[in-house]
Amino acid sequence: MHLLEVNSLKKVYKTRFGGQSVEALKNVNFTVEEGEYVAIMGESGSGKTTLLNILAALDKATAGTVLLDGKDFSKIPESDVAAFRRDHLGFVFQEFNLLDTFTLEDNIYLPLVLAGKEYKEMNTLLMPIARTLGIESLLKKYPYEVSGGQKQRAAVARALITSPRIILADEPTGALDSRSTDELLRLFAEVNRQGQTILMVTHSARAASRAGRVLFIRDGEVFHQLYRGDMSDDLFYQKITDTLTLLARGGEQA
């Protein structure tokens, strides 16, 4: 069984007064296997964000299904959606989404606090993650006291601490400088090597070139996909940029 299965996904938005429909997603189909690292790319307005919101159980599809471990998102009772999201999905956002009144440690603990975990258990879960991400010495600091790259590492720790089935990352390098971007992508590769499944929406070919597969979305559909195989980062980057050029020109893949 696939870890994530997206079947015939469609999303139609109605304008405010219901006079016009906007089809954000037309017919999206793909699967993600456990342990994969998949990037999703496409021009602004292609449907990437809508797709991510549905995969995050933050929005509902108009038609089609999303299954995680065979569980249909549409069958989850509304009262259980928040708990399902917290227990099975990890999130990394472009703007970090950390609370300035909490230390990094408390920000990381937040999903476990909401799940009713004890401090001792939370601390036991945090320390190996903090070591992997290199933030042990920063845990008592507040978000305004650390750099953007350090904030994002804390956000990754918060995503990992619940042992999610899949991490959903939304433009995770978008607010970072080049050095912090390289560091975050190195950390993503490391946690992926440890078995963590990652699905990342990004505009950055550089970020996407670190993934094992890239899905390209155009006009609400999967237009093309590339597999890394045994390609180097540089060669995969070139393949990605060639495909993005094709997308921009509105051409068909070879």
Side-chain angles (χ1 to χ4, degrees):
M1 182 172 64
H2 307 295
L3 173 61
L4 180 71
E5 189 172 344
V6 178
N7 299 308
S8 305
L9 204 64
K10 181 178 181 179
K11 179 64 180 181
V12 178
Y13 291 103
K14 296 286 187 181
T15 56
R16 185 174 179 183
F17 299 106
Q20 189 175 0
S21 297
V22 177
E23 195 172 39
L25 298 176
K26 293 179 181 176
N27 182 34
V28 176
N29 297 275
F30 66 91
T31 59
V32 176
E33 306 304 323
E34 187 163 7
E36 268 203 286
Y37 183 177
V38 180
I40 296 178
M41 303 194 77
E43 296 182 305
S44 296
S46 62
K48 302 188 308 299
T49 300
T50 299
L51 175 60
L52 191 69
N53 285 341
I54 293 172
L55 298 181
L58 293 168
D59 198 0
K60 291 186 178 295
T62 304
T65 58
V66 176
L67 290 83
L68 182 67
D69 284 325
K71 189 173 183 66
D72 188 342
F73 279 22
S74 67
K75 303 292 173 56
I76 303 169
E78 196 66 39
S79 58
D80 296 339
V81 169
F84 176 84
R85 199 161 45 232
R86 183 187 66 228
D87 294 342
H88 298 282
L89 305 172
F91 301 95
V92 180
F93 304 96
Q94 179 175 341
E95 297 297 337
F96 322 125
N97 284 27
L98 299 175
L99 299 172
D100 276 338
T101 53
F102 284 18
T103 63
L104 297 187
E105 181 178 42
D106 288 339
N107 269 286
I108 295 165
Y109 284 155
L110 192 55
L112 297 182
V113 171
L114 294 172
K117 303 294 185 183
E118 297 293 330
Y119 175 79
K120 186 176 181 180
E121 181 183 356
M122 294 193 295
N123 188 253
T124 300
L125 290 169
L126 173 58
M127 295 324 294
I129 294 171
R131 282 193 291 273
T132 296
L133 300 180
I135 56 173
E136 287 176 284
S137 64
L138 303 174
L139 293 175
K140 300 301 182 184
K141 291 185 178 292
Y142 289 85
Y144 55 81
E145 297 179 304
V146 301
S147 70
Q150 291 166 336
K151 288 179 189 176
Q152 197 60 299
R153 278 187 271 164
V156 173
R158 181 182 57 194
L160 288 170
I161 202 163
T162 59
S163 300
R165 296 296 286 137
I166 187 167
I167 283 182
L168 300 173
D170 185 10
E171 301 286 359
T173 63
L176 302 179
D177 59 30
S178 59
R179 181 177 176 182
S180 296
T181 291
D182 286 341
E183 178 62 15
L184 180 68
L185 294 174
R186 184 190 68 77
L187 292 170
F188 266 25
E190 175 61 26
V191 298
N192 175 246
R193 276 194 295 273
Q194 294 174 11
Q196 178 63 59
T197 309
I198 302 172
L199 186 66
M200 172 178 65
V201 167
T202 182
H203 278 100
S204 168
R206 180 179 173 196
S209 69
R210 306 293 184 89
R213 175 163 57 116
V214 182
L215 295 174
F216 298 90
I217 305 292
R218 186 179 73 175
D219 298 332
E221 297 182 276
V222 176
F223 163 76
H224 190 43
Q225 62 180 324
L226 289 174
Y227 286 86
R228 168 189 290 279
D230 58 2
M231 280 187 271
S232 66
D233 287 350
D234 288 344
L235 181 54
F236 199 36
Y237 173 86
Q238 187 59 56
K239 293 283 188 182
I240 291 166
T241 54
D242 288 347
T243 303
L244 289 173
T245 299
L246 197 64
L247 274 169
R249 290 175 178 169
E252 295 299 323
Q253 72 266 32

